[in-house]
Coordinates of all heavy atoms in Angstrom, one line a residue:
M4 N -64.0 -165.2 27.8 CA -63.7 -165.6 29.2 C -63.7 -164.4 30.1 O -62.7 -163.9 30.5 CB -62.3 -166.2 29.2 CG -62.2 -167.2 30.4 SD -60.8 -168.2 30.4 CE -60.1 -167.8 32.0
G5 N -64.9 -164.0 30.5 CA -65.0 -162.8 31.3 C -64.9 -163.1 32.8 O -65.7 -163.8 33.3
G6 N -63.8 -162.7 33.4 CA -63.6 -163.0 34.8 C -64.4 -162.0 35.6 O -65.0 -161.1 35.1
P7 N -64.4 -162.3 36.9 CA -65.1 -161.3 37.8 C -64.5 -159.9 37.8 O -63.3 -159.8 37.7 CB -65.0 -162.0 39.2 CG -63.8 -162.8 39.1 CD -63.7 -163.3 37.7
S8 N -65.4 -159.0 37.9 CA -64.9 -157.6 37.9 C -64.2 -157.3 39.2 O -64.5 -157.9 40.2 CB -66.0 -156.6 37.7 OG -66.9 -156.7 38.7
G9 N -63.3 -156.4 39.2 CA -62.5 -156.1 40.4 C -61.2 -156.8 40.4 O -60.8 -157.5 39.5
P10 N -60.4 -156.6 41.5 CA -59.0 -157.2 41.5 C -59.1 -158.7 41.6 O -59.9 -159.3 42.3 CB -58.4 -156.6 42.8 CG -59.6 -156.2 43.6 CD -60.7 -155.8 42.7
T11 N -58.2 -159.3 40.8 CA -58.2 -160.8 40.8 C -57.4 -161.2 42.0 O -56.8 -160.4 42.7 CB -57.5 -161.3 39.5 OG1 -56.2 -160.8 39.5 CG2 -58.3 -160.8 38.3
L12 N -57.3 -162.5 42.2 CA -56.5 -163.1 43.3 C -55.1 -162.7 43.2 O -54.4 -162.3 44.2 CB -56.7 -164.6 43.4 CG -56.1 -165.3 44.6 CD1 -56.7 -164.7 45.9 CD2 -56.3 -166.8 44.5
C13 N -54.6 -162.8 42.0 CA -53.2 -162.4 41.7 C -52.9 -160.9 42.1 O -51.9 -160.6 42.7 CB -52.8 -162.6 40.3 SG -52.5 -164.3 39.9
D14 N -53.8 -160.1 41.7 CA -53.7 -158.6 42.1 C -53.7 -158.5 43.6 O -52.9 -157.7 44.1 CB -54.8 -157.8 41.5 CG -54.7 -157.7 39.9 OD1 -53.6 -158.0 39.4 OD2 -55.7 -157.4 39.3
Q15 N -54.6 -159.2 44.3 CA -54.6 -159.1 45.7 C -53.4 -159.5 46.4 O -52.8 -158.9 47.3 CB -55.8 -159.8 46.3 CG -57.2 -159.2 45.9 CD -58.3 -160.1 46.3 OE1 -58.2 -161.2 46.7 NE2 -59.5 -159.6 46.2
I16 N -52.8 -160.7 45.9 CA -51.6 -161.2 46.4 C -50.4 -160.2 46.2 O -49.6 -159.9 47.1 CB -51.3 -162.6 45.8 CG1 -52.3 -163.6 46.3 CG2 -49.8 -163.0 46.1 CD1 -52.2 -164.9 45.6
A17 N -50.4 -159.7 44.9 CA -49.3 -158.7 44.6 C -49.4 -157.5 45.5 O -48.4 -157.0 46.0 CB -49.4 -158.3 43.1
A18 N -50.7 -157.0 45.7 CA -50.8 -155.8 46.6 C -50.4 -156.1 48.0 O -49.8 -155.3 48.7 CB -52.3 -155.4 46.6
A19 N -50.8 -157.3 48.5 CA -50.4 -157.7 49.9 C -48.9 -157.8 50.0 O -48.3 -157.3 51.0 CB -51.0 -159.0 50.2
E20 N -48.2 -158.3 49.0 CA -46.7 -158.4 49.0 C -46.1 -157.0 49.0 O -45.1 -156.8 49.7 CB -46.3 -159.2 47.7 CG -44.8 -159.4 47.6 CD -44.2 -160.3 48.8 OE1 -45.0 -161.0 49.5 OE2 -43.0 -160.2 48.9
M21 N -46.7 -156.1 48.2 CA -46.1 -154.8 48.1 C -46.2 -154.1 49.5 O -45.3 -153.5 50.0 CB -46.9 -153.9 47.1 CG -46.7 -154.3 45.7 SD -45.3 -153.4 45.0 CE -45.9 -151.8 45.0
Q22 N -47.4 -154.3 50.2 CA -47.6 -153.7 51.5 C -46.6 -154.3 52.5 O -46.0 -153.6 53.3 CB -49.0 -154.0 52.0 CG -50.1 -153.2 51.3 CD -49.9 -151.7 51.7 OE1 -49.6 -151.4 52.8 NE2 -50.2 -150.8 50.8
R23 N -46.4 -155.6 52.4 CA -45.4 -156.3 53.3 C -44.0 -155.8 53.1 O -43.3 -155.5 54.1 CB -45.5 -157.8 53.1 CG -44.8 -158.6 54.1 CD -45.0 -160.1 53.8 NE -44.2 -160.5 52.7 CZ -42.9 -160.8 52.7 NH1 -42.2 -160.8 53.8 NH2 -42.3 -161.2 51.6
R24 N -43.6 -155.6 51.9 CA -42.3 -155.1 51.6 C -42.1 -153.7 52.1 O -41.1 -153.3 52.6 CB -42.0 -155.2 50.1 CG -41.7 -156.6 49.6 CD -41.2 -156.7 48.2 NE -41.1 -158.1 47.8 CZ -40.9 -158.4 46.5 NH1 -40.8 -157.5 45.6 NH2 -40.8 -159.7 46.2
K25 N -43.1 -152.9 51.9 CA -43.1 -151.5 52.3 C -42.9 -151.4 53.8 O -42.2 -150.7 54.4 CB -44.3 -150.8 51.9 CG -44.2 -149.3 52.0 CD -45.5 -148.6 51.7 CE -45.9 -148.7 50.2 NZ -47.1 -148.0 49.9
R26 N -43.7 -152.3 54.5 CA -43.6 -152.3 56.0 C -42.3 -152.8 56.5 O -41.7 -152.2 57.4 CB -44.7 -153.3 56.6 CG -45.0 -153.1 58.0 CD -46.3 -153.8 58.4 NE -46.3 -155.2 58.1 CZ -47.1 -155.8 57.3 NH1 -48.1 -155.1 56.7 NH2 -47.1 -157.1 57.1
I27 N -41.7 -153.8 55.9 CA -40.3 -154.3 56.2 C -39.3 -153.2 56.0 O -38.4 -152.9 56.8 CB -40.0 -155.6 55.4 CG1 -40.8 -156.7 56.0 CG2 -38.5 -155.9 55.5 CD1 -40.7 -158.0 55.1
H28 N -39.5 -152.5 54.8 CA -38.6 -151.4 54.5 C -38.6 -150.3 55.5 O -37.6 -149.8 56.0 CB -39.0 -150.9 53.1 CG -38.1 -149.8 52.6 ND1 -36.8 -150.1 52.1 CD2 -38.2 -148.5 52.5 CE1 -36.2 -148.9 51.7 NE2 -37.1 -147.9 51.9
N29 N -39.8 -149.9 55.9 CA -40.0 -148.9 56.9 C -39.4 -149.3 58.3 O -38.7 -148.5 58.9 CB -41.4 -148.5 57.1 CG -42.0 -147.8 56.0 OD1 -41.3 -147.3 55.1 ND2 -43.3 -147.7 55.9
Q30 N -39.6 -150.6 58.7 CA -39.0 -151.1 59.9 C -37.5 -151.0 59.8 O -36.8 -150.6 60.8 CB -39.5 -152.5 60.2 CG -40.9 -152.6 60.7 CD -41.4 -154.0 60.8 OE1 -40.7 -154.9 60.3 NE2 -42.6 -154.1 61.3
A31 N -36.9 -151.4 58.7 CA -35.5 -151.4 58.5 C -34.9 -150.0 58.7 O -34.0 -149.8 59.3 CB -35.1 -152.0 57.1
W32 N -35.6 -149.0 58.0 CA -35.2 -147.7 58.1 C -35.3 -147.1 59.5 O -34.4 -146.4 60.0 CB -35.9 -146.8 57.1 CG -35.3 -146.8 55.8 CD1 -35.7 -147.3 54.6 CD2 -34.0 -146.2 55.5 NE1 -34.8 -147.1 53.6 CE2 -33.7 -146.5 54.1 CE3 -33.0 -145.6 56.2 CZ2 -32.6 -146.1 53.5 CZ3 -31.8 -145.2 55.6 CH2 -31.6 -145.4 54.2
S33 N -36.3 -147.5 60.2 CA -36.5 -146.9 61.6 C -35.4 -147.5 62.5 O -34.9 -146.9 63.4 CB -37.9 -147.2 62.1 OG -38.1 -148.6 62.2
S34 N -35.1 -148.8 62.3 CA -34.0 -149.4 63.1 C -32.7 -148.8 62.8 O -31.8 -148.6 63.6 CB -34.0 -150.9 62.9 OG -33.6 -151.3 61.6
V35 N -32.4 -148.5 61.5 CA -31.2 -147.8 61.1 C -31.2 -146.4 61.8 O -30.1 -146.0 62.3 CB -31.1 -147.6 59.5 CG1 -30.1 -146.6 59.2 CG2 -30.8 -149.0 58.9
G36 N -32.3 -145.7 61.8 CA -32.4 -144.4 62.4 C -32.1 -144.5 63.9 O -31.3 -143.7 64.5
A37 N -32.6 -145.5 64.6 CA -32.4 -145.7 66.0 C -30.9 -146.0 66.3 O -30.3 -145.4 67.2 CB -33.3 -146.8 66.5
C38 N -30.3 -146.8 65.4 CA -28.9 -147.1 65.5 C -28.1 -145.8 65.4 O -27.1 -145.6 66.1 CB -28.5 -148.1 64.5 SG -26.8 -148.7 64.7
A39 N -28.4 -145.0 64.4 CA -27.7 -143.8 64.1 C -27.8 -142.8 65.3 O -26.9 -142.2 65.7 CB -28.2 -143.1 62.8
D40 N -29.0 -142.8 65.9 CA -29.3 -141.9 67.0 C -28.4 -142.4 68.2 O -27.8 -141.6 68.9 CB -30.7 -142.0 67.5 CG -31.6 -141.2 66.5 OD1 -31.1 -140.4 65.7 OD2 -32.8 -141.3 66.7
A41 N -28.3 -143.7 68.4 CA -27.5 -144.2 69.5 C -26.0 -143.9 69.3 O -25.3 -143.4 70.2 CB -27.7 -145.7 69.6
V42 N -25.5 -144.1 68.1 CA -24.1 -143.7 67.8 C -23.9 -142.2 68.0 O -22.9 -141.8 68.6 CB -23.8 -144.2 66.4 CG1 -22.4 -143.6 66.0 CG2 -23.8 -145.7 66.3
F43 N -24.8 -141.4 67.5 CA -24.6 -140.0 67.6 C -24.6 -139.5 69.0 O -23.7 -138.8 69.5 CB -25.8 -139.3 66.8 CG -25.7 -137.8 66.9 CD1 -24.7 -137.1 66.2 CD2 -26.6 -137.1 67.7 CE1 -24.7 -135.7 66.3 CE2 -26.6 -135.7 67.8 CZ -25.6 -135.0 67.1
S44 N -25.5 -140.0 69.8 CA -25.6 -139.6 71.2 C -24.3 -140.1 72.0 O -23.8 -139.4 72.9 CB -26.9 -140.1 71.9 OG -26.9 -141.5 71.8
R45 N -23.8 -141.3 71.6 CA -22.6 -141.8 72.3 C -21.4 -140.9 71.9 O -20.6 -140.5 72.7 CB -22.3 -143.2 71.9 CG -21.3 -143.9 72.7 CD -21.3 -145.4 72.5 NE -20.8 -145.7 71.2 CZ -21.1 -146.8 70.5 NH1 -22.0 -147.6 71.0 NH2 -20.6 -147.0 69.4
C46 N -21.4 -140.5 70.6 CA -20.3 -139.6 70.2 C -20.4 -138.2 70.9 O -19.4 -137.7 71.4 CB -20.4 -139.3 68.7 SG -19.8 -140.8 67.7
V47 N -21.6 -137.7 71.1 CA -21.8 -136.4 71.8 C -21.3 -136.6 73.2 O -20.6 -135.7 73.7 CB -23.2 -136.0 71.7 CG1 -23.5 -134.8 72.6 CG2 -23.6 -135.6 70.3
A48 N -21.7 -137.7 73.8 CA -21.3 -137.9 75.2 C -19.8 -138.0 75.4 O -19.2 -137.4 76.3 CB -22.0 -139.2 75.8
I49 N -19.2 -138.7 74.5 CA -17.7 -138.8 74.5 C -17.1 -137.4 74.3 O -16.1 -137.1 75.0 CB -17.2 -139.8 73.4 CG1 -17.6 -141.2 73.8 CG2 -15.7 -139.7 73.2 CD1 -17.4 -142.2 72.7
S50 N -17.5 -136.7 73.3 CA -16.9 -135.4 73.1 C -17.1 -134.4 74.3 O -16.3 -133.7 74.6 CB -17.5 -134.7 71.8 OG -18.9 -134.5 71.9
L51 N -18.3 -134.5 74.9 CA -18.6 -133.7 76.1 C -17.6 -134.1 77.2 O -17.1 -133.2 77.9 CB -20.0 -133.8 76.5 CG -21.1 -133.1 75.7 CD1 -22.5 -133.4 76.2 CD2 -20.8 -131.6 75.6
R52 N -17.4 -135.4 77.4 CA -16.5 -135.8 78.4 C -15.1 -135.3 78.2 O -14.4 -134.9 79.1 CB -16.6 -137.4 78.5 CG -16.0 -137.9 79.8 CD -16.1 -139.4 79.9 NE -17.4 -139.9 79.5 CZ -17.5 -141.0 78.7 NH1 -16.5 -141.5 78.1 NH2 -18.7 -141.4 78.5
H53 N -14.7 -135.4 76.9 CA -13.3 -134.9 76.6 C -13.2 -133.4 76.9 O -12.2 -133.0 77.4 CB -13.0 -135.2 75.1 CG -12.6 -136.6 74.8 ND1 -11.6 -137.2 75.5 CD2 -13.1 -137.5 73.9 CE1 -11.5 -138.5 75.0 NE2 -12.4 -138.7 74.1
R54 N -14.3 -132.7 76.5 CA -14.2 -131.3 76.7 C -14.2 -131.0 78.2 O -13.4 -130.1 78.7 CB -15.5 -130.6 76.1 CG -15.3 -129.1 75.9 CD -16.5 -128.5 75.4 NE -17.6 -128.6 76.4 CZ -18.9 -128.4 76.1 NH1 -19.3 -128.0 74.9 NH2 -19.8 -128.5 77.1
D55 N -14.9 -131.7 79.0 CA -14.9 -131.5 80.5 C -13.5 -131.8 81.0 O -13.0 -131.1 81.9 CB -15.9 -132.4 81.2 CG -17.3 -131.9 80.9 OD1 -17.5 -130.8 80.4 OD2 -18.3 -132.6 81.3
D56 N -12.9 -132.9 80.6 CA -11.6 -133.3 81.0 C -10.6 -132.2 80.6 O -9.7 -131.8 81.4 CB -11.1 -134.6 80.3 CG -11.9 -135.8 80.9 OD1 -12.6 -135.6 81.9 OD2 -11.8 -136.9 80.3
A57 N -10.7 -131.7 79.4 CA -9.7 -130.6 79.0 C -9.9 -129.4 79.8 O -8.9 -128.8 80.3 CB -10.0 -130.3 77.5
S58 N -11.1 -129.0 80.1 CA -11.3 -127.8 80.9 C -10.8 -128.1 82.4 O -10.3 -127.2 83.0 CB -12.8 -127.4 80.9 OG -13.6 -128.4 81.6
R59 N -11.0 -129.3 82.9 CA -10.5 -129.6 84.2 C -9.0 -129.5 84.2 O -8.4 -129.0 85.2 CB -11.0 -131.0 84.6 CG -11.6 -131.0 86.0 CD -12.1 -132.4 86.4 NE -13.5 -132.6 86.0 CZ -14.0 -133.5 85.2 NH1 -13.2 -134.4 84.6 NH2 -15.3 -133.5 84.9
R60 N -8.4 -130.0 83.2 CA -6.9 -130.0 83.1 C -6.4 -128.5 83.1 O -5.5 -128.1 83.7 CB -6.4 -130.7 81.9 CG -6.0 -132.1 82.2 CD -5.3 -132.8 81.0 NE -6.0 -134.1 80.7 CZ -6.8 -134.3 79.7 NH1 -7.0 -133.4 78.8 NH2 -7.3 -135.5 79.5
A61 N -7.1 -127.7 82.3 CA -6.8 -126.3 82.2 C -6.9 -125.6 83.5 O -6.1 -124.8 83.9 CB -7.7 -125.6 81.1
N62 N -8.0 -125.9 84.2 CA -8.2 -125.3 85.6 C -7.1 -125.8 86.5 O -6.6 -125.0 87.4 CB -9.5 -125.7 86.1 CG -10.7 -125.0 85.4 OD1 -10.4 -124.0 84.7 ND2 -11.9 -125.5 85.5
N63 N -6.6 -127.0 86.4 CA -5.6 -127.5 87.3 C -4.3 -126.9 87.1 O -3.5 -126.6 88.0 CB -5.5 -129.1 87.2 CG -6.7 -129.8 87.8 OD1 -7.4 -129.2 88.5 ND2 -6.8 -131.0 87.5
T64 N -4.0 -126.6 85.8 CA -2.7 -126.0 85.5 C -2.6 -124.5 85.9 O -1.6 -124.0 86.3 CB -2.3 -126.1 84.0 OG1 -3.4 -125.5 83.3 CG2 -2.2 -127.6 83.6
S65 N -3.7 -123.8 85.9 CA -3.7 -122.4 86.2 C -3.5 -122.2 87.7 O -4.0 -122.9 88.5 CB -5.0 -121.7 85.7 OG -6.1 -122.3 86.4

């Protein structure tokens, strides 16, 4: 029972599924990265604001 040479339909489906999973995985990671960037920049903004407030308070007391 010699099938056609080259990848069979099952192989092609499996390869397509692997590609799809890899693409979904990459999208998930990039969205995680974007979320982390947003959180990080918000934390930086908050800490900068606190530092500005503290320096303003120090200037007012002097």
Side-chain angles (χ1 to χ4, degrees):
M4 205 171 122
S8 62
T11 63
L12 187 60
C13 283
D14 290 340
Q15 290 172 351
I16 291 171
E20 179 65 16
M21 290 271 295
Q22 285 294 323
R23 192 177 68 84
R24 286 188 185 170
K25 194 185 292 183
R26 194 163 59 239
I27 289 171
H28 183 74
N29 289 345
Q30 284 172 354
W32 272 112
S33 62
S34 66
V35 165
C38 185
D40 284 349
V42 169
F43 178 71
S44 58
R45 194 167 68 208
C46 286
V47 168
I49 289 171
S50 65
L51 286 177
R52 197 180 310 133
H53 280 307
R54 199 183 64 191
D55 288 349
D56 289 348
S58 64
R59 227 177 268 122
R60 266 189 231 106
N62 289 342
N63 288 344
T64 56
S65 61

